[in-house]
Amino acid sequence: MMLTSKPNLPSPSLFLPHTFQSLQQPIPSHKLQFAQSPPHHHHHSHAHKHQPNTCLSTLQDHPNIQQTQQIHAHIIKTHFVYSHQIIPLSPFQSRLSHSAQYNFLITSYNKNNFPICSLKIYAYLRRVDFQVDNFTIPSVLKACGQCSLVILGKEIHGFVLKNGLDGDVFVPNALIQMYSECGSVVSARLLFDQMAGRDVVSWSTMIRSYVRSRMLGEALELIREMHLMHVKPSGIAMISMVNLFSDLADAKMGKAMHGYVVRNSNDGKVGVPITTALIDMYAKCGNLAYSERLFNGLTQKNIVSWTAMIAGYIRCNKLEKGTKLFNKMLEERIFPNEITVLSLIIECGSVRAMELGKWLHSYILRIGFVLSLPLATALVDMYGKCGNIRNARAVFDFCDNKDVMLWSAMISAYAQANCTNEACNLFAEMRENGVRPNQVTLVSLISLCAEVGALNLGKWIHLYLNQQGMDVDLILKTALVDMYAKCGDIDGAYSLFSEATDRDICMWNAMITGFSMHGCGKEALKLFEEMERLGVEPNDITFIGVFHACSHAGLVEEGKKVFEKMVCGFGLVPKIEHYGCMVDLLGRAGQLNKAHELIKSMPMQPNSIVWGALLAACKLYKNQDLGEVAAKKLLELEPQNCGYNILMSNIYAAANRWNDAAGVRKAMKDKGIKKEPGLSSVEVDGSVHDFVMGDKAHPQTGKIYEMLAEMSMKLNEAGYTPNTSVVLQNIDEEEKETVLNYHSEKLAMAFSLINTAAGTPIRIVKNLRVCDDCHAATKLLSKIYGRVIIVRDRKRFHHFREGSCSCGDYW
C-alpha cells in the first residue's frame, strides 16, 4: 500500500554524487554495448565458485532502492574490501564471492523495479570480461523481460549457447520467460521444443506465455500434451491453467479443470492461491454460486481471495453484494492494498459501474493512498468507459509526470465519447511533452477515426506510424483496415488487407464486415470462400458479416446456402444474432411471410433484434398488419426503446392513419421516451463538424443556407420533385418540403461544398438511416456538382457518383 508519509532516507553522504542520478532513465538497447577489450580497471578474470542468490536471504526481505544503491556504491569504492561496514551492509558478508555480490545487486535492482540498472551492471561485467555464469543470466533475462528488450535478450541467448550455459534448466526457462514477456511467443515455443530436459517449470512457463498472449487454443493443446507426458503440474502451473479457463469463460470445462486441480493436489487439499484462481474462474463463467461456496469454504482468506470474490460480484453486476463484502472485509481488519483497489476499479469500468467506481475513488482519497500512475490510469479509464469525461480529465490533470499509459487512457476516454478534436489536441500535447505513443494510444485514435468517419485524420495517423518507424502489429493493422473501411475507403482497406501476411480471424472479419457495409456482397462471399481454401476457421462474427453482406446486396439464395454451411459444414449452432440476420435478409427482399415463419420456428425466444428486423421490413414494404404484430412484441420486450415506437408510428403515418400515429407519439411522450435526433458529421481540414436538422448554430450558418438555396434551385432545374411521403407528420405539402430541405445530411453537404475544393470527395456520417428523399436528391447533386458523395448511415455506405448510388436503390 502506497501511503503519503515520506520514507526515512539514509544520509546523502552515502550516495555517490553523480553515478545514480540517471539510473531511473531508460537507455536504449543499442547503448548497452559490450567492448571486446576491457579498459584498465580492477577486475577478476578468474572464475569464482559462488553460492546462488539465496545465500543473501539473511537480508530482511530485500533492500529498498536506496539501500541497494548504497551497497552498489560501497562495492565500487572498496573493490570488495569490507574493513568498514555500514548499517545497510551489515548482513552483506564479505565471505560471499564477487559474482554472488553482483548477482545480489542485479536481483535487488530487479525487485525494486530498476531493471535498466541491472542491465548496466551486466554490460559492465561483459565489458571487463568478468565471467558471467548461470546464476547471473536468469536475473539479467528477467530485467530484459521487464524492459521488453528482446534484441538484447537474443544477444544474451547467443552468449548462453556460445558459453555452454544452457545445460542448466534454469537458464532455458528464464529465456522462455523473457521471450514471453517481450511478446515473442514463437521464439519461446521454439526454444521449449528444443529443450532436452524440460521440468515442470518449463511447461508452466510456456502455458503461462500462451495465456498471457491470449493464444488460448495453443495453451489448451499444451495442457493436453503435458497430461499425456505424465508431467504432474506444479501449483503455479495449475493456477495458469485455471486462468486459461477463466479467459475461455467455459463453465463446463472450468468444472473439469476444478476436478483436475483436486486430483493433482496433495491429499486433495487445494491451497489458497489455487482456490482464489478458481473463485475468479467461476465468477468469469457467471457461476457466482460456486465462487461463493469456494470463498466461504476458505479457512484462511487473504487479501487476494477477498479481491477475487468482490471483483466477481462487480463483474456479474451484483454491485450491492460487492459493496457489502468490501465493507465486511474492512470490518475483519483486512485492508486493501493498491492492487486490490486497482482490480476493483478496472472491474467497475468494464461493467460501467460509475457510482461504485466513484465510491472507491473517494475511499482511496480518504485513507491517504498516493494516487500512483497505475491507479490514476485505472480511474481515468473507468470514468471514460462510464462517459464521465469531466472526472476523467480532472484525475488526468491532477497527476504529474504522466506516463504513456495515462495519456493513452485519457485519449481513449475522449475517443469513446467521440470527442475527436479534444482527442487530437491531447495527442499533439502528448508528443510536445516528449511522450512516445504506444499501441493503446494509436488504436484508440484509429478507432475514433473509424467511429466518426475522419478519414484524413486516420490517414495522417497511418503516415505517422510509418514515419516514426513504429512496429505495426496485427492489432494495429486490423484497426487500420477497419478504419479505412468505416471511413468509406474500401479500396484502401482491401489494399492493407492484401499486403498483410499474418492475418488472423479478426482481420478477416474486419474486411468481410467492411465489404458488407459497402454493399459489396459478392466480394464478401469471395473472401469467405478464400478463408475456406486457406483453412482459416470462421467464427460467429464471420457469419454475421457474411449474412449482412448478402442482406445489403439482395443475395437471398447465397445467404441461405451460407446459413446451411454454418450448421452442417462447420457444426456451429446459430445464435439469436444469426437468426436476426436471416430475418433481415428475407425481410429486405420482401419475403415478409417467410421471415415471420422463420421467427416462429426459432429454437429460442426471439429478441428485439429479430422482431426489429421484421418491423423495419414491414415499414419498407408498408405491411401494416404484420408490422403491428412485430411492434406489439417489441413493445413487450423493450417498452422504452424509441426506435421501435417511431417505426410503428411511421408505418401508421405512411398509411395516413394519423390518429394511430398520434396515439403512438402521445404514448411515447407520456412515458418520457424521446426520439433520437438525426445527426450528420463531416470532416474538413482535420476537424469534425456536426449538424442536426435545421441547425443554425454553426459559425458559417449564413453561407450554409445560401448554399442550400443554390442546391435547391439546381435540383429543381434538374427535374427533382421532393418526396414528401417521407415526412411522416400531419402538415401541409409546403411545410413538408421545407422540412426536407433542412435535413442534417443536406446541411453537412452544403458545408462541404463551401469548404472543400472542387472535385474532391465528400464524406458524411449519419446516425440514422438515409431517407428516400435525401437519397434521391444526393444522387442528382453528385452529378450537378461533379462530386463523389459517400454517406455512411446507421446500416451501410452509399457511394453516390454521376447520378447513381452503389446500393442500386436497395437498402
Side-chain angles (χ1 to χ4, degrees), residues 275-527:
T275 303
T276 300
L278 287 166
I279 290 168
D280 181 65
M281 179 195 73
Y282 280 120
K284 284 180 178 173
C285 293
N287 196 332
L288 279 176
Y290 273 80
S291 293
E292 289 172 333
R293 191 182 304 173
L294 287 167
F295 179 75
N296 294 331
L298 280 172
T299 53
Q300 291 183 324
K301 301 179 180 77
N302 61 20
I303 186 62
V304 184
S305 312
W306 286 92
T307 304
M309 193 65 242
I310 296 166
Y313 280 132
I314 297 172
R315 189 179 299 117
C316 297
N317 263 309
K318 304 290 183 183
L319 304 181
E320 191 176 341
K321 281 191 171 184
T323 306
K324 283 181 179 177
L325 193 62
F326 188 89
N327 286 322
K328 186 180 178 183
M329 177 180 75
L330 297 179
E331 287 169 8
E332 297 196 13
R333 303 198 64 75
I334 297 174
F335 299 104
N337 55 26
E338 183 179 344
I339 295 171
T340 307
V341 180
L342 188 65
S343 303
L344 299 181
I345 290 169
I346 290 169
E347 291 296 343
C348 288
S350 66
V351 298
R352 313 292 193 266
M354 188 172 71
E355 291 308 311
L356 182 54
K358 275 185 178 179
W359 184 84
L360 287 166
H361 187 182
S362 64
Y363 174 81
I364 290 169
L365 299 175
R366 282 199 312 274
I367 66 167
F369 267 50
V370 168
L371 194 61
S372 65
L373 286 177
L375 264 179
T377 302
L379 283 167
V380 169
D381 182 66
M382 182 272 294
Y383 283 123
K385 286 176 177 173
C386 295
N388 192 328
I389 298 298
R390 186 177 177 181
N391 281 9
R393 186 63 198 241
V395 174
F396 176 82
D397 288 339
F398 178 79
C399 295
D400 298 321
N401 302 317
K402 302 174 182 72
D403 64 359
V404 66
M405 295 309 296
L406 185 55
W407 285 95
S408 300
M410 192 62 237
I411 289 171
S412 179
Y414 278 135
Q416 289 173 86
N418 286 350
C419 299
T420 315
N421 298 334
E422 291 85 347
C424 294
N425 291 338
L426 195 65
F427 180 64
E429 189 182 333
M430 175 183 176
R431 290 187 297 122
E432 285 169 9
N433 278 270
V435 180
R436 184 178 171 84
N438 63 7
Q439 184 195 73
V440 177
T441 323
L442 294 164
V443 167
S444 294
L445 283 170
I446 292 166
S447 300
L448 172 60
C449 294
E451 187 64 31
V452 301
L455 179 62
N456 291 333
L457 179 59
K459 282 182 174 179
W460 181 87
I461 295 168
H462 190 186
L463 181 65
Y464 173 82
L465 280 169
N466 294 332
Q467 286 177 342
Q468 296 295 312
M470 297 183 75
D471 180 31
V472 183
D473 64 6
L474 199 52
I475 295 172
L476 269 174
K477 284 179 190 172
T478 303
L480 284 167
V481 168
D482 184 62
M483 182 273 294
Y484 276 106
K486 286 181 177 173
C487 288
D489 187 356
I490 194 65
D491 293 332
Y494 188 64
S495 176
L496 273 176
F497 175 83
S498 301
E499 290 169 6
T501 55
D502 53 345
R503 306 170 193 150
D504 64 358
I505 188 62
C506 294
M507 185 177 280
W508 285 93
N509 289 345
M511 196 64 243
I512 287 173
T513 302
F515 277 139
S516 165
M517 289 178 69
H518 287 265
C520 305
K522 290 180 180 177
E523 288 83 351
L525 284 170
K526 186 178 177 182
L527 207 60

Side-chain angles (χ1 to χ4, degrees), residues 144-155:
C144 288
Q146 286 177 295
C147 298
S148 293
L149 292 174
V150 71
I151 296 173
L152 180 58
K154 285 180 178 179
E155 191 279 339

